[in-house]
């Protein structure tokens, strides 16, 4: 028996809501697991994985999920409030990422190790720099008059698209970090594969959210 359009729409929204709820759990669960594994404070290095997991798994994911119509924790609040919380979370994510980058660079300096010679290190550096640029670019949405030849709608579209790229870079950096010797000696077997699925899940949820927002904007223009 064929499903009606209304039933399909309800099913799709339910699936999106379930996926969003899972993304919230993963966003918090992954850095919690990293904290247990790294035992922050046990060494200078131990702060690096925790700070990066907080930045790109928890803070940045939640900053983007705020705008989800199905799973936002601030669904009943105005868009102005959501934007302010988004800014605060993104700024905290950037600060955590900068601190994590600084600590690992200093740790390598103390141990006489080369800097940014692995794919994880290079991707991580690129991600942090990109996140800084993305936050700076977001200022244009607060002061759109600075870009006289650009409409606010176009600025929002480009900000969302470039933000998605930055988020995917962050997830890629996390996944490369899970291929490091430190992680693979502590997490093995099925647990390693489950850990790798965490950034994959949140990436798919965020990509779906951004693509749906883009399609909704396109339909509203016609």
């Amino acid at each position: 028996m064929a499903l009606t359009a209304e039933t399909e729409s309800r099913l799709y929204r339910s699936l999106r809501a379930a996926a969003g709820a899972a993304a919230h759990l993963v966003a918090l669960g992954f850095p919690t697991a990293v904290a247990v594994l790294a035992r922050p404070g046990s060494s200078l290095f131990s702060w690096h994985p925790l700070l990066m997991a907080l930045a790109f798994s928890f803070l940045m994911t939640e900053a983007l999920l705020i705008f989800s119509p199905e799973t936002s924790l601030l669904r009943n609040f105005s868009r102005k409030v959501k934007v302010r919380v988004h800014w605060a979370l993104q700024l905290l994510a950037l600060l955590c990422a900068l601190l994590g980058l600084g600590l690992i660079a200093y740790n390598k300096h103390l141990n006489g190790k080369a800097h940014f010679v692995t794919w994880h290190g290079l991707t991580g550096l690129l991600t942090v720099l990109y996140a800084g640029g993305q936050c700076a670019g977001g200022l244009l949405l607060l002061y759109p008059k600075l870009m006289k030849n650009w409409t606010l709608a176009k600025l929002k579209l480009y900000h969302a698209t470039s933000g998605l790229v930055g988020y995917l870079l962050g997830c890629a950096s996390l996944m490369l970090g899970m291929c490091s010797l430190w992680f693979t000696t502590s997490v093995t077997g099925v647990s390693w594969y489950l850990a790798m699925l965490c950034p994959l899940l949140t990436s798919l949820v965020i990509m779906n959210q951004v693509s749906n927002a883009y399609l909704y904007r396109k339909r509203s223009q016609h």
Side-chain angles (χ1 to χ4, degrees):
M1 183 176 176
L3 296 175
T4 64
E6 182 180 356
T7 303
E8 287 184 349
S9 179
R10 286 181 181 176
L11 179 61
Y12 179 62
R13 287 197 300 268
S14 297
L15 289 173
R16 285 190 64 189
H24 281 297
L25 292 174
V26 168
L28 179 60
F30 182 77
T32 301
V34 170
V36 172
L37 182 65
R39 293 182 294 117
S42 59
S43 66
L44 185 61
F45 169 82
S46 66
W47 291 102
H48 171 72
L50 174 61
L51 287 167
M52 290 310 195
L54 283 173
F56 298 110
S57 176
F58 178 62
L59 292 168
M60 194 170 287
T61 301
E62 292 300 330
L64 297 175
L65 287 176
I66 277 178
F67 298 112
S68 170
E70 290 88 10
T71 59
S72 173
L73 298 178
L74 302 177
R75 282 195 303 275
N76 298 324
F77 288 80
S78 66
R79 180 171 177 81
K80 185 176 181 180
V81 171
K82 292 177 182 178
V83 169
R84 287 179 177 176
V85 175
H86 171 79
W87 262 97
L89 291 175
Q90 290 287 55
L91 184 58
L92 284 173
L94 178 61
L95 291 175
C96 283
L98 287 171
L99 185 57
L101 179 66
L103 287 174
I104 192 62
Y106 184 58
N107 184 69
K108 285 183 177 292
H109 171 73
L110 291 179
N111 290 281
K113 295 182 179 180
H115 299 270
F116 311 117
V117 294
T118 64
W119 282 111
H120 171 59
L122 291 171
T123 305
L125 176 62
L126 175 62
T127 302
V128 174
L129 293 175
Y130 192 99
Q134 178 70 6
C135 286
L139 290 173
L140 297 175
L141 293 177
L142 295 180
Y143 306 101
K145 292 182 179 180
L146 295 175
M147 301 291 288
K148 297 180 180 180
N149 297 326
W150 297 73
T151 64
L152 182 59
K154 186 174 289 187
L155 286 175
K156 287 181 178 179
L157 175 62
Y158 288 152
H159 180 68
T161 304
S162 60
L164 175 60
V165 173
Y167 182 77
L168 294 177
L169 276 173
C171 288
S173 182
L174 289 176
M175 294 177 73
L176 287 170
M178 286 185 275
C179 295
S180 66
L181 182 62
W182 171 79
F183 195 86
T184 54
T185 54
S186 303
V187 182
T188 58
V190 176
S191 298
W192 185 84
Y193 289 100
L194 289 175
M196 290 292 280
L197 284 176
C198 290
L200 281 176
L201 171 65
T202 57
S203 294
L204 290 173
V205 171
I206 296 299
M207 282 192 291
N208 181 265
Q209 177 181 315
V210 173
S211 63
N212 274 277
Y214 174 76
L215 291 174
Y216 175 80
R217 188 174 289 113
K218 290 287 285 185
R219 284 196 299 265
S220 65
Q221 292 174 350
H222 296 288

